Amino acid sequence: MEKHVGIAGVGTYIPQTFMTAKEISDATKGIWSEDAVINKLGIVKKPVTDTVGTQEMGYLAAKACMENAGICPTEIDVILCMGEEYKEYPLTTSALYVQDRLGAVNAWGIDVQNRCCTAVSAIKMAKDMLMADEDIDTILIAGGYRNGDFIDYTDSNVSFMFNLSAGGGAILLRKNLGKNLVLGSHIIADASLNRTAGVEIGGQANPINAENFQEAQKSLRLMDAETMKSRLNAVSMDNWHACINRAFEKSGLPRSAMDYLAILHIKPSGHRGMLADLGLTEEQSIYLQDYGHIGQVDQILSLELALKQGKVKDGSVVCMLSAGIGYVWAASVIQWGGM
């Protein structure tokens, strides 16, 4: 059998408390109506939490993933944590928290970060590690997300981030599994946008102090709105399509082989436009209007939902598509089912 990497399982953790479109509208102080939140931003509701941190959400998703895969945590060789830097305690390693909570005593772990591209980027990293290192057979990718905590809903510049929500995701990759093949991936970065968006208060450049500590809690914003918006309008769709095309080329498949698109939550018009560009119907994706944007968890959630709904089945070719501030675009191709 030719050496390969397959997906042994997926899992998610979704908090059962939600912020509705009406509540988002109210938080904007009337700038956005409930109807506009639903129909222009594509948010009916989104999961939020004040009680569960990102490291714990990563563990809960990983636990569900391992149960779904039917694999013992002691079989994990490496944990790549794709959870956000916003976590219970700064300067702690989230991968090792997940490792300890799972009881994955034979693993080692490392945190990786590519913003909302991290899951797809980590899938490429994990496949490359599995193919290159004879000592690694099983890699768990897991992490949690709740960057929505930083959003100031009265800041119209960040309306495209009103969808930021909370949750955890995990995906388990295994060498020579014989099914659910991870094929080609491609990533593009435009580093000229690296400081156009982020949490503006709380780092070394602008530390939290007695005067700004309340503002700091809601300081995920555009630090150079004009540059970011104009540059994204110029390059974003082209970069997405370039990632898709190269990922399929690396997979030895035509782009027309795509059966399902696992895409992050974006505004409805953008979602429909992407499907049209790819020649897909709305039945060949899932719009995450009841989940919002759980950062890098979106592609894992979309795949899990598609499996449950029968939209992905044996023989399906899946494209995971992501983008993250910084700015990064990424795509990975998966051939579901047996070889």
Side-chain angles (χ1 to χ4, degrees):
M1 182 182 292
E2 186 177 349
K3 193 174 179 181
H4 63 275
V5 172
I7 296 173
V10 296
T12 57
Y13 168 77
I14 306 298
Q16 293 305 298
T17 49
F18 294 86
M19 187 176 189
T20 65
K22 175 64 164 58
E23 290 169 325
I24 293 171
S25 173
D26 290 345
T28 71
K29 301 188 185 303
I31 298 173
W32 283 80
S33 68
E34 180 182 5
D35 181 74
V37 171
I38 293 172
N39 293 303
K40 291 188 176 181
L41 298 181
I43 313 162
V44 174
K45 63 179 181 179
K46 63 177 187 174
V48 295
T49 179
D50 291 327
T51 59
V52 187
T54 53
Q55 292 176 327
E56 180 68 6
M57 286 192 285
Y59 155 68
L60 291 169
K63 181 174 180 288
C65 177
M66 299 305 296
E67 291 171 353
N68 292 337
I71 292 175
C72 179
T74 57
E75 298 178 57
I76 300 171
D77 297 304
V78 179
I79 297 172
L80 298 180
C81 187
M82 51 84 171
E84 263 299 343
E85 294 174 297
Y86 175 52
K87 53 196 173 187
E88 289 90 327
Y89 296 99
L91 302 185
T92 59
T93 303
S94 298
L96 302 186
Y97 177 88
V98 173
Q99 178 184 350
D100 182 56
R101 291 281 276 137
L102 276 179
V105 294
N106 297 314
W108 59 271
I110 188 169
D111 293 356
V112 296
Q113 194 44 252
N114 211 192
R115 302 282 74 79
C116 299
C117 257
T118 313
V120 177
S121 299
I123 286 171
K124 173 174 169 47
M125 293 170 65
K127 180 187 176 182
D128 291 348
M129 292 169 69
L130 287 161
M131 295 292 282
D133 194 329
E134 294 301 322
D135 292 332
I136 300 176
D137 290 307
T138 304
I139 295 181
L140 173 69
I141 299 167
Y145 184 96
R146 48 180 277 191
N147 284 1
D149 292 6
F150 284 109
I151 292 298
D152 174 3
Y153 292 95
T154 65
D155 180 0
S156 293
N157 269 337
V158 297
S159 60
F160 74 102
M161 290 195 280
F162 287 175
N163 60 355
L164 298 188
S165 52
I171 187 165
L172 187 70
L173 273 59
R174 202 159 209 187
K175 186 184 297 177
N176 299 333
L177 184 65
K179 61 180 182 179
N180 309 333
L181 303 189
V182 178
L183 301 178
S185 297
H186 194 71
I187 303 169
I188 293 174
D190 186 337
S192 70
L193 298 169
N194 75 92
R195 286 189 177 174
T196 54
V199 176
E200 195 165 20
I201 303 172
Q204 295 169 356
N206 193 3
I208 295 175
N209 56 44
E211 286 71 40
N212 67 17
F213 76 96
Q214 288 186 320
E215 181 188 359
Q217 296 176 62
K218 301 293 180 183
S219 63
L220 175 51
R221 55 181 62 141
L222 299 191
M223 295 179 278
D224 186 347
E226 183 177 348
T227 297
M228 179 169 166
K229 290 179 179 180
S230 63
R231 182 65 178 161
L232 286 184
N233 288 335
V235 304
S236 194
M237 291 305 294
D238 287 345
N239 285 346
W240 251 342
H241 282 290
C243 285
I244 294 168
N245 291 340
R246 286 292 290 129
F248 272 88
E249 288 172 12
K250 293 175 183 180
S251 302
L253 294 171
R255 193 172 83 166
S256 60
M258 190 190 309
D259 296 304
Y260 182 81
L261 180 66
I263 184 174
L264 73 166
H265 182 276
I266 55 177
K267 63 183 181 180
S269 59
H271 182 88
R272 290 191 296 266
M274 179 60 75
L275 292 179
D277 287 347
L278 295 173
L280 302 177
T281 69
E282 291 191 21
E283 288 301 307
Q284 291 175 281
S285 187
I286 293 175
Y287 190 64
L288 302 174
Q289 63 182 15
D290 294 325
Y291 298 91
H293 178 32
I294 316 178
Q296 45 268 45
V297 175
D298 281 8
Q299 291 77 27
I300 296 171
L301 172 62
S302 183
L303 175 59
E304 183 179 60
L305 292 172
L307 289 167
K308 290 178 179 178
Q309 296 177 24
K311 294 189 175 188
V312 170
K313 47 188 179 292
D314 282 0
S316 294
V317 175
V318 177
C319 178
M320 287 186 162
L321 190 65
S322 62
I325 58 174
Y327 216 92
V328 188
W329 299 262
S332 285
V333 179
I334 298 161
Q335 175 80 58
W336 203 260
M339 295 180 65

